[in-house]
Amino acid sequence: MGTKRVNFLKMTTIAVAVAAFTWAAPAFAAPQNGWVESGGERYWYDNGVMARDKQVYDPASDAWYWFDADGTMATDKDVFIPVSNEDRSRGKWVRYDAEGHMVKGEDYRYGGWYYFDPVTGEMAKGFRYLDSNGGKWVFYDYITGQMAHGERYIDGSHGDEPGWMYFADDTGAVTYGWQFLISDIDFKWVYYDTSTGRMVHGRRVIDGVPREFDMATGAHQFGGRYSPNEARDVLGLVNQARAAVGVAPLAWDDELAATAEVRAAELTISFSHGRPDGTSCFIIFPPAAAVGENIAAGQRSAAQVNQAWTNSPGHYANMVNPNFTKLGVSCLIDDNGYKYWVEAFSS
């Protein structure tokens, strides 16, 4: 077996440069308060403790925020805040916007309008008066909180007076007075009480006139009957007037005649080119490039009403207008024998 030789070197003195290094254990960080951003998320700390499943008020921005169970700040989100951890069955719904601020006042989202208390931020439910649109009463659904529009039944389960109501299609305002309702199979005029906004049923005196409303549907019962033969007589007289000035005759149009019947019934409520709810008469006319309407009341025959219209420059202008090609006429005789007349012209 070989023997390994080890050479021992003679030691010499070597100068060594040593850099001084001081180490100390890190001190504990002071408790942190306020905002921390990490990974694109915002968090809040109170005395070093991350806010979780709680709301926080930030004086610097003068706004309330909500932090979910994982500590992230809520944005574009509705949150239910319970009364306490012990009682989570009661509380309030609030909303936070894209910046995480608690929403207050009116807010449009999810295809509808909502309202949040200007102090507490609580989502409104039920009836509320708003200053917008000149002041209005509106209704927010008791489950979703969304503003109601159109026809709605208030069931009284939350202490409200039960009944059918109508909320304006654009503003959501409670409707009072006359309203025209139309469905796929029918239409009707109804009346909403000027104090409560509830649909009227049965007998009611309105503007000094006794009215009858169906007990089930609320539809106004116009009474009377139509006289189609007298309506047709008007067409012949109008075409005589047109021939006298060299204008082509008008053709009878069933759709315009149906429109004229609706308008004649409306004249028993309000004798005007405006409908009982204040809208223009022309919104129920079939679409056309040009339309016109003549109305009258009290004349006892087609000849009398035609003469009255002929003697009026504005009405006569409709009768001989060369832009019109079609006509529908209605004669409605009420229960007292009083006649209402309508001519509906169209190109």
Side-chain angles (χ1 to χ4, degrees):
M1 184 173 180
T3 303
K4 185 177 181 180
R5 172 178 281 183
V6 180
N7 293 323
F8 291 93
L9 300 179
K10 185 178 180 180
M11 295 184 64
T12 58
T13 302
I14 302 173
V16 179
V18 179
F21 176 76
T22 303
W23 180 88
F28 288 105
Q32 188 170 8
N33 289 285
W35 294 104
V36 171
E37 295 192 22
S38 177
E41 298 286 354
R42 300 187 74 193
Y43 303 86
W44 180 273
Y45 285 84
D46 283 316
N47 297 321
V49 178
M50 180 185 289
R52 298 173 184 269
D53 197 24
K54 66 179 294 187
Q55 62 177 339
V56 170
Y57 176 73
D58 174 26
S61 59
D62 189 26
W64 286 91
Y65 301 82
W66 175 264
F67 297 89
D68 288 327
D70 62 358
T72 56
M73 181 185 74
T75 58
D76 286 326
K77 185 176 183 179
D78 291 354
V79 174
F80 181 75
I81 301 178
V83 173
S84 65
N85 286 330
E86 292 73 29
D87 183 3
R88 303 184 73 85
S89 63
R90 296 181 300 126
K92 64 180 181 180
W93 280 98
V94 298
R95 176 171 295 166
Y96 297 92
D97 63 19
E99 301 300 320
H101 302 157
M102 181 185 285
V103 174
K104 296 182 178 181
E106 290 188 271
D107 183 65
Y108 186 84
R109 198 171 307 220
Y110 312 131
W113 284 98
Y114 298 78
Y115 186 84
F116 298 88
D117 188 274
V119 177
T120 67
E122 181 174 4
M123 181 186 291
K125 304 287 181 71
F127 288 96
R128 179 172 287 268
Y129 183 82
L130 301 181
D131 292 328
S132 57
N133 303 116
K136 60 184 180 181
W137 279 100
V138 298
F139 179 81
Y140 296 99
D141 187 271
Y142 280 113
I143 297 175
T144 67
Q146 192 171 102
M147 180 187 287
H149 294 82
E151 196 175 17
R152 182 72 169 262
Y153 184 76
I154 306 301
D155 62 16
S157 61
H158 292 79
D160 303 313
E161 178 183 343
W164 284 99
M165 302 185 69
Y166 196 90
F167 302 90
D169 296 323
D170 49 358
T171 66
V174 172
T175 295
Y176 303 97
W178 293 101
Q179 179 69 32
F180 186 70
L181 301 181
I182 187 168
S183 67
D184 293 336
I185 60 173
D186 200 5
F187 62 85
K188 61 183 178 181
W189 277 101
V190 299
Y191 190 84
Y192 296 101
D193 187 273
T194 53
S195 296
T196 67
R198 270 55 173 188
M199 182 186 290
V200 170
H201 297 80
R203 189 172 181 81
R204 175 71 68 91
V205 176
I206 298 174
D207 297 328
V209 179
R211 304 282 183 183
E212 291 287 343
F213 299 89
D214 188 271
M215 290 299 296
T217 67
H220 177 240
Q221 307 299 291
F222 286 98
R225 60 182 178 85
Y226 291 103
S227 178
N229 291 334
E230 290 184 279
R232 285 277 187 170
D233 289 343
V234 171
L235 172 65
L237 295 171
V238 171
N239 281 335
Q240 288 179 22
R242 291 172 71 88
V245 294
V247 179
L250 298 172
W252 181 266
D253 185 88
D254 287 337
E255 195 171 5
L256 283 173
T259 299
E261 288 188 352
V262 173
R263 289 290 299 128
E266 293 175 355
L267 296 185
T268 68
I269 299 174
S270 174
F271 187 78
S272 167
H273 290 295
R275 307 182 74 203
D277 59 2
T279 57
S280 168
C281 63
F282 297 122
I283 67 172
I284 62 168
F285 274 56
V291 292
E293 178 185 74
N294 285 346
I295 61 175
Q299 294 80 6
R300 300 190 61 81
S301 68
Q304 282 187 8
V305 73
N306 184 74
Q307 189 62 53
W309 282 328
T310 300
N311 293 340
S312 169
H315 296 90
Y316 179 72
N318 276 341
M319 293 167 58
V320 298
N321 188 332
N323 294 319
F324 295 144
T325 60
K326 296 180 288 187
L327 176 66
V329 183
S330 175
C331 172
L332 174 64
I333 308 172
D334 71 12
D335 292 333
N336 297 315
Y338 194 78
K339 293 181 180 181
Y340 296 86
W341 304 85
V342 176
E343 288 180 321
F345 300 89
S346 175
S347 58

